[in-house]
Amino acid sequence: MSAVTAGSPKSMFDSGVLGWLRNRVFSSVPNAIISMLIVWLAVMTVPAAFDWLVTSSVVHADGTRECRAIDNGACWALIVEKHRLILFGLYPYDEQWRPLIVVGLFLALIGISCSRRFWNLSLIPIWIVGIVAIATMMWGGVLGMTFVPNERWGGLPLTLILSVFGMAFAFPLAILLALGRRSKLPVVKAICVTYIELIRGVPLISLLFMASVMFPLFLPDGMNIDKLLRAQIAIIMFAAAYQAEVIRGGLQSLPKGQYEAADALGLGYWQKTGFIILPQALRIVIPPMVNSLIAMFKDTSLVVIIGLYDLMNAAKASFVDPAWRGASMEAYVFVASIYFVFCFFMSKYSQSLEAGFARAEKR
Amino acid sequence: MSGQPMIELTNVNKWYGDFHVLTDINLKVAKGERIVICGPSGSGKSTMIRCINRLEEHQAGTIIVDGIELANDVKKIEAIRRDVGMVFQHFNLFPHLTVLENLTLAPIWVRKTPKAEAEATAMKYLERVRIPDQANKYPGQLSGGQQQRVAIARALCMNPKVMLFDEPTSALDPEMVAEVLDVMVTLAQESGVTMLCVTHEMGFARSVANRVIFMDRGQIVEENTPEEFFHNPQNERTKLFLSQILQH
Ligand SMILES: Nc1ncnc2c1ncn2[C@@H]1O[C@H](COP(=O)(O)OP(=O)(O)O)[C@@H](O)[C@H]1O
Ligand SMILES: [Mg+2]
């Protein structure tokens, strides 16, 4: 056995590190050039980045100036000092355990919704309980918790509220819009087409702006819909239009035979849609769907323009403090890594879903 | 042929745009009768049988199935579809459901059969088509012949009065044709269900059909008993067609 694995020089060249290098990295002249370029780029950037991020970074200091005096790397002292402002915005300092619990509740809700075991009607009561719990924790005013108006909400919980509720409410709406767009009923179809095309023709930023500035103009005097709620509605409406088009793609790509087989069995429209068409169509569109969810998650940062303190805006606020002026890079890297963790998770989750479906049905 | 016919097509016409796909189709099918429909490709065979369960809409004439006239009434259409099973050329099984789920979905949701009973019926039919051991697999894991037998069982689980077959063996590899035809022959001999089958399997036509119908260019050109049809075709087009398919 050992004699075989030790092998001749030739077999050592075909397998192992050398073989891998030869077969994958230097398999042809263009590949070799590309590989060398990438290695060169890595050599140029990675050590410098590592130095800035880790080796020369400063964790303990009282301000940007002191940081820079100690070393020339990242001033993580800003994050140490201001992480609660970035994560929770202007939420009252002593009550910030509440938004922390809310973040936990969100993670639990997401976790449950991602598990295929819960993909049934039990999700509806779970979400209702989740929403009520989140609202109670954020607002308070009951159970001995002080009332916190939503003008003071901010940071990660606000970003999660806007994006997770945005996705959760946009999804069913998007399904109805996609079905409606393919409906045989002309009025339903016209409404759905108009809605989708109108919303898609407008950037989210202007929709948010309209929701914040123009909408109140149309409302009767004295009546006022909360700014946060307006932003939330704008995000839901926007996301629904985009997701509807993604779902429509899935509906169209199903073979006609699936519709016909369901019809031939005497299934009604909603039975056919619910049992045969949607489960398959949604599976087909998992990758583009997750793509649009990721885009939407990041797009919620546009609420900056109407003055909401989401994660991004709270990060900006952290280096407005004169003592920390100039540490914008550190703040942005910090929020970027939070965004990255969520987006990376979404992407991985969609891959595992696809793989799971494929495994179950083909093998 | 006594009593009310199971299926009655009277002067049925259909167009796709300018193209006259069905011309004055008249056809009566008695209860329990087994009919084989053949004819060149594009002659309108599929279109005709798909009109019977309203997968296609006819534009003139009347179609009456089990006493119900097909019109633009969703309830009536669904009622007819409950009693008319269909087997497609490409099986059209639901790939995201197991074989057992494929078979029980419609009985449970359309017929409101209790789940346990629907599953028992499904197993009974899976045994009839000789694949009870595949019940918990997904269609993608079965061979073409097995898939088509599942599709036949799926239609039978609704306990239909009429079974429509649209070239059930023409998408199969040659070695799998026999297993599907066997199931169909047994079905014809044992169940007494009314069958309309588009096929060019002449052996099948000989052994089970009461009547063979020949279609060409959207018309029923000739109809006769299998014996007469094969040995004594009347129409020139029938003769030509038979000479072509009997060559190989
Ligand atoms: N949806 C459609 N639109 C236009 N023409 C069609 C459509 N479906 C079928 N046809 C045409 O109608 C004719 C009859 O089709 P079909 O009933 O499928 O024939 P067969 O089953 O006898 O081969 C063919 O010429 C076909 O091209
Ligand atoms: Mg055909």
Side-chain angles (χ1 to χ4, degrees):
Chain A
M1 188 70 197
S2 61
V4 178
T5 41
S8 62
K10 185 169 173 283
S11 82
M12 205 183 87
F13 207 71
D14 280 337
S15 60
V17 178
L18 279 181
W20 180 83
L21 274 178
R22 198 186 63 161
N23 294 331
R24 297 293 172 85
V25 184
F26 297 109
S27 56
S28 68
V29 174
N31 278 2
I33 293 175
I34 291 169
S35 301
M36 298 297 286
L37 265 176
I38 290 170
V39 170
W40 177 76
L41 268 177
V43 169
M44 297 299 289
T45 55
V46 172
F50 185 79
D51 180 67
W52 186 82
L53 285 166
V54 182
T55 325
S56 308
S57 67
V58 179
V59 179
H60 300 289
D62 283 333
T64 328
R65 190 168 301 171
E66 196 187 331
C67 270
R68 302 290 183 246
I70 298 173
D71 210 334
N72 60 356
C75 181
W76 296 130
L78 169 84
I79 310 298
V80 173
E81 174 78 17
K82 299 280 187 183
H83 67 277
R84 286 177 62 166
L85 173 66
I86 299 176
L87 286 176
F88 303 123
L90 302 175
Y91 207 88
Y93 198 80
D94 292 332
E95 299 288 323
Q96 286 182 357
W97 56 274
R98 284 158 52 183
L100 184 64
I101 289 180
V102 164
V103 171
L105 284 169
F106 268 115
L107 295 182
L109 261 186
I110 295 169
I112 289 171
S113 310
C114 285
S115 157
R116 286 176 76 180
R117 222 170 342 129
F118 290 98
W119 286 7
N120 47 47
L121 287 182
S122 71
L123 270 183
I124 294 175
I126 289 174
W127 271 84
I128 291 174
V129 170
I131 291 172
V132 169
I134 286 167
T136 312
M137 294 307 285
M138 289 305 285
W139 264 306
V142 288
L143 305 171
M145 295 185 286
T146 53
F147 176 74
V148 178
N150 53 17
E151 284 75 30
R152 303 202 57 180
W153 299 4
L156 185 57
L158 188 71
T159 292
L160 287 175
I161 287 171
L162 290 171
S163 57
V164 175
F165 290 164
M167 292 173 203
F169 287 95
F171 186 59
L173 186 58
I175 289 176
L176 292 178
L177 284 168
L179 293 173
R181 187 159 192 175
R182 287 168 59 84
S183 169
K184 291 199 188 86
L185 310 170
V187 178
V188 174
K189 183 172 175 156
I191 291 173
C192 293
V193 172
T194 313
Y195 176 87
I196 293 171
E197 295 306 334
L198 269 184
I199 299 279
R200 286 206 310 161
V202 178
L204 176 58
I205 200 157
S206 60
L207 208 61
L208 285 169
F209 204 66
M210 283 198 284
S212 138
V213 179
M214 287 173 60
F215 206 47
L217 299 179
F218 302 133
L219 287 176
D221 269 349
M223 193 179 152
N224 186 24
I225 303 181
D226 182 73
K227 184 156 79 173
L228 176 61
L229 184 61
R230 273 180 279 159
Q232 182 78 78
I233 291 173
I235 286 175
I236 291 172
M237 288 172 57
F238 187 77
Y242 275 86
Q243 288 178 22
E245 284 300 277
V246 171
I247 294 170
R248 184 167 71 106
L251 294 174
Q252 273 168 346
S253 68
L254 264 202
K256 216 167 129 236
Q258 292 293 308
Y259 291 86
E260 291 179 347
D263 282 339
L265 285 167
L267 293 171
Y269 176 80
W270 290 107
Q271 293 171 338
K272 172 173 73 171
T273 305
F275 294 128
I276 309 301
I277 306 307
L278 276 181
Q280 294 186 70
L282 293 179
R283 248 168 248 198
I284 297 170
V285 299
I286 288 171
M289 187 75 153
V290 171
N291 201 23
S292 97
L293 291 182
I294 288 176
M296 178 196 150
F297 179 67
K298 294 180 295 183
D299 279 353
T300 56
S301 56
L302 291 173
V303 295
V304 163
I305 68 136
I306 59 171
L308 290 179
Y309 272 84
D310 77 317
L311 195 52
M312 195 67 174
N313 211 9
K316 264 189 186 156
S318 73
F319 54 83
V320 169
D321 185 342
W324 295 99
R325 198 154 289 161
S328 57
M329 190 65 175
E330 287 80 353
Y332 286 134
V333 169
F334 180 62
V335 290
S337 61
I338 296 177
Y339 276 105
F340 178 79
V341 167
F342 278 93
C343 294
F344 186 72
F345 165 78
M346 283 195 255
S347 165
K348 278 287 162 214
Y349 174 67
S350 94
Q351 285 170 12
S352 78
L353 261 192
E354 275 181 86
F357 285 132
R359 217 172 21 247
E361 285 160 28
K362 302 261 156 41
R363 199 184 50 186
Chain B
M1 277 190 226
S2 60
Q4 193 194 26
M6 187 53 122
I7 299 168
E8 187 170 8
L9 283 75
T10 315
N11 289 326
V12 170
N13 280 277
K14 176 171 177 64
W15 291 263
Y16 283 122
D18 288 340
F19 179 54
H20 202 167
V21 58
L22 295 178
T23 309
D24 290 330
I25 300 284
N26 286 290
L27 178 66
K28 272 189 199 165
V29 184
K31 194 164 180 299
E33 211 182 353
R34 297 181 295 272
I35 292 185
V36 161
I37 301 156
C38 59
S41 167
S43 57
K45 310 178 294 293
S46 300
T47 308
M48 183 180 82
I49 69 165
R50 287 157 60 87
C51 282
I52 294 171
N53 64 353
R54 199 59 159 198
L55 290 184
E56 303 287 350
E57 208 173 307
H58 62 286
Q59 279 122 20
T62 55
I63 299 179
I64 299 174
V65 180
D66 198 23
I68 306 175
E69 182 177 346
L70 271 174
N72 268 334
D73 177 340
V74 179
K75 287 282 157 261
K76 278 187 185 171
I77 293 172
E78 283 175 10
I80 288 175
R81 285 172 175 171
R82 279 198 286 276
D83 287 337
V84 177
M86 184 156 203
V87 176
F88 300 86
Q89 184 173 1
H90 297 286
F91 332 135
N92 297 353
L93 293 176
F94 305 129
H96 63 301
L97 301 178
T98 63
V99 166
L100 195 61
E101 288 165 345
N102 264 278
L103 266 58
T104 54
L105 182 78
I108 290 173
W109 292 96
V110 178
R111 289 249 190 254
K112 314 288 179 208
T113 314
K115 188 165 180 239
E117 192 186 324
E119 286 182 352
T121 312
M123 287 314 296
K124 184 184 92 186
Y125 282 114
L126 279 181
E127 244 147 79
R128 274 240 201 131
V129 301
R130 296 170 213 137
I131 36 174
D133 46 326
Q134 312 287 350
N136 292 313
K137 288 198 179 165
Y138 285 92
Q141 297 168 284
L142 306 183
S143 73
Q146 290 174 322
Q147 290 193 43
Q148 193 60 300
R149 286 184 279 154
V150 171
I152 294 172
R154 176 173 74 179
L156 291 175
C157 280
M158 286 294 278
N159 198 15
K161 296 175 180 160
V162 177
M163 283 285 279
L164 307 173
F165 294 84
D166 190 359
E167 305 206 33
T169 56
S170 57
L172 296 175
D173 292 337
E175 72 271 19
M176 292 171 184
V177 170
E179 66 190 50
V180 171
L181 286 179
D182 271 0
V183 164
M184 289 171 61
V185 171
T186 320
L187 174 71
Q189 288 163 347
E190 290 176 1
S191 72
V193 66
T194 309
M195 281 170 77
L196 271 81
C197 184
V198 177
T199 183
H200 293 160
E201 295 292 339
M202 292 306 142
F204 174 78
R206 279 206 184 87
S207 61
V208 307
N210 305 109
R211 254 193 298 166
V212 178
I213 286 177
F214 176 71
M215 284 185 75
D216 193 19
R217 288 178 233 164
Q219 288 172 306
I220 295 181
V221 175
E222 184 161 351
E223 62 177 284
N224 220 327
T225 61
E227 200 60 25
E228 283 294 301
F229 182 82
F230 291 114
H231 294 119
N232 190 16
Q234 303 297 309
N235 190 293
E236 282 311 312
R237 286 191 256 171
T238 317
K239 287 177 191 164
L240 178 66
F241 175 74
L242 284 176
S243 73
Q244 281 166 349
I245 63 162
L246 293 181
Q247 259 165 16
H248 37 250

